[in-house]
Amino acid sequence: MTDTVAQTEKKPVIFSGMQPSGALTLGSYMGALQNWVNLSDAYDCYYCIVDLHAITSRQEPAELRRRCLDQIAQYIACGLDPAKSTLFIQSHVPAHAELSWILNCYTMFGELSRMTQFKDKSTRNTDNINAGLFTYPVLMTADILLYQAELVPVGDDQRQHVELARDVANRFNGIYGDVFTLPKSFIPEEGARIMSLADSTRKMSKSEPAGGCIYLMDKPEVILKSFKRAVTDSGGDVRYDQAEKPGVSNLMTIYSVATGKSYDAIEAEFSGLGYGAFKTAVGESVVELFRPIREKAEALLADKAYLVSVYTDAADHAARAANKTLRKVYKKIGFVAK
Ligand code: TYM
């Protein structure tokens, strides 16, 4: 992550982020975090804890603060190396908020009105449809464009936001010349949309009732219990068919991502064994996947000073890259230099 390394290697850049609005989930791990780790050697990676985004819904201040620290520990525990990837907290780099304002003036009301996440969230939280929720994708655009990111590893639900970032970059470049790199999303073939274990029509997310959502830091017994209760479908055979068997297909995806086994191999493994044995095996595979991560994260959390040093150094490094882009933008727009 040091400047010398970044300058001499000149790898293409990745940016991605996760909200500290709750603990990290199995969905966010399989949809994004796992790819963050896999891509981290080949790219110059900026992985962010997006606390500015999190306050579009109300957060309890002490909890928010604690979750940011937890999240840094979990990023590292999953295999991200702070010496190679820049692991930082969004609010530590003011350029995110600054560029966001500017890009608000280059993003259309109509574009933001079409964002499905805004439509979903404003329908579900009618008591707090704040302006930040509406302009949320502009802040995300600023996050990505500040670092000249080429690739944005995310789950399927963020695809539309990354497309917007690309459209805004294109529009800005069309007016001022080549200022921003055009970003592309990187969405895994499997695991891009992990569904709730309680209702396979809903995405697995922190807002799911207990049992529907699995968290990275869940204890083995909690994970096993949730999988044992997971919804399946009629018929007893373990077969991948998203339309007819959404519950079983979701479990097969989880098992496949956790173990690396193909759907054919999974079908053969559980042929004639029924759902009970299958659900236990999926639960156990997730327990084994998360066990070393949880143990490492717990150990890291015992060394707060180390975690603070990681995000402090990373913020300095990120700010240098971000300010370079911001200065260029200010100049292009016609702001007077200080
Ligand atoms: P967030 O915090 O909701 O989710 C973090 C990442 O996890 C993915 N994800 C899932 N993937 C598969 N199945 C699921 N059930 C599932 N749940 C979550 C998300 O797609 C995401 O990649 N707006 C973003 C955070 C953000 C960001 C950015 C991302 C802010 N700025 C810039 C990329 C680039 C969000 O709310 O993610």
Side-chain angles (χ1 to χ4, degrees):
M1 195 269 300
T2 60
D3 282 341
T4 22
V5 173
Q7 274 160 16
T8 46
E9 288 185 9
K10 277 256 178 288
K11 291 175 182 173
V13 176
I14 275 184
F15 181 93
S16 199
M18 293 197 181
Q19 294 194 59
S21 51
L24 297 183
T25 69
L26 174 68
S28 52
Y29 180 81
M30 293 194 161
L33 198 45
Q34 203 180 35
N35 285 323
W36 292 13
V37 177
N38 293 340
L39 294 163
S40 63
D41 279 335
Y43 288 81
D44 181 12
C45 299
Y46 292 83
Y47 293 134
C48 191
I49 294 175
V50 292
D51 52 352
L52 298 177
H53 280 93
I55 61 161
T56 49
S57 60
R58 290 282 170 271
Q59 304 294 330
E60 208 281 297
E63 274 284 288
L64 179 61
R65 211 169 285 127
R66 185 184 56 74
R67 283 198 300 256
C68 286
L69 205 71
D70 286 359
Q71 203 160 310
I72 283 278
Q74 288 168 35
Y75 281 2
I76 300 170
C78 284
L80 292 173
D81 178 356
K84 289 193 207 150
S85 300
T86 308
L87 311 180
F88 73 109
I89 299 175
Q90 189 182 29
S91 63
H92 290 179
V93 181
H96 289 252
E98 295 173 81
L99 184 63
S100 181
W101 169 255
I102 291 171
L103 295 181
N104 265 312
C105 306
Y106 295 83
T107 308
M108 299 303 132
F109 183 86
E111 286 177 309
L112 294 177
S113 311
R114 285 193 290 276
M115 294 291 117
T116 53
Q117 284 228 324
F118 172 70
K119 287 194 244 174
D120 275 4
K121 287 189 179 169
S122 53
T123 326
R124 274 190 282 122
N125 309 304
T126 43
D127 56 336
N128 186 18
I129 310 176
N130 58 75
L133 201 61
F134 188 64
T135 57
Y136 180 111
V138 184
L139 178 58
M140 215 175 129
T141 299
D143 298 340
I144 297 167
L145 301 189
L146 270 178
Y147 299 93
Q148 307 288 354
E150 279 183 28
L151 215 59
V152 185
V154 283
D156 189 57
D157 61 342
Q158 299 301 318
R159 185 193 298 271
Q160 195 187 27
H161 288 161
V162 181
E163 277 165 14
L164 177 78
R166 192 179 171 89
D167 290 345
V168 173
N170 233 330
R171 179 172 305 137
F172 198 92
N173 287 354
I175 305 171
Y176 300 107
D178 279 344
V179 178
F180 296 126
T181 302
L182 299 185
K184 275 202 307 269
S185 52
F186 180 97
I187 295 173
E189 265 178 42
E190 269 180 34
R193 194 169 182 81
I194 299 293
M195 308 308 279
S196 163
L197 299 189
D199 178 348
S200 40
T201 63
R202 285 202 309 261
K203 189 186 74 171
M204 181 182 283
S205 77
K206 302 149 197 170
S207 49
E208 280 301 299
C213 186
I214 302 289
Y215 296 95
L216 220 58
M217 298 297 279
D218 276 348
K219 296 266 187 290
E221 55 277 17
V222 175
I223 297 178
L224 290 173
K225 193 168 153 199
S226 300
F227 275 100
K228 278 192 182 134
R229 288 191 183 161
V231 290
T232 42
D233 315 284
S234 54
D237 54 328
V238 174
R239 182 166 49 82
Y240 193 86
D241 183 336
Q242 276 208 314
E244 297 285 317
K245 292 175 155 288
V248 169
S249 301
N250 186 42
L251 293 174
M252 284 180 74
T253 299
I254 295 171
Y255 191 58
S256 170
V257 176
T259 60
K261 292 178 186 173
S262 68
Y263 291 143
D264 284 347
I266 298 169
E267 288 181 9
E269 185 178 349
F270 294 99
S271 165
L273 293 185
Y275 289 153
F278 172 56
K279 290 200 280 188
T280 302
V282 182
E284 281 166 357
S285 73
V286 172
V287 166
E288 290 322 313
L289 180 70
F290 285 174
R291 186 192 305 282
I293 297 175
R294 180 171 46 81
E295 287 173 358
K296 183 154 188 213
E298 279 166 1
L300 285 162
L301 280 166
D303 188 355
K304 254 192 187 153
Y306 168 69
L307 297 174
V308 172
S309 76
V310 167
Y311 67 64
T312 307
D313 292 353
D316 289 344
H317 179 79
R320 273 194 294 280
N323 288 335
K324 198 170 154 203
T325 301
L326 192 65
R327 277 197 301 274
K328 196 167 168 190
V329 167
Y330 275 20
K331 195 170 168 195
K332 291 283 186 183
I333 291 177
F335 289 172
V336 175
K338 277 203 288 203

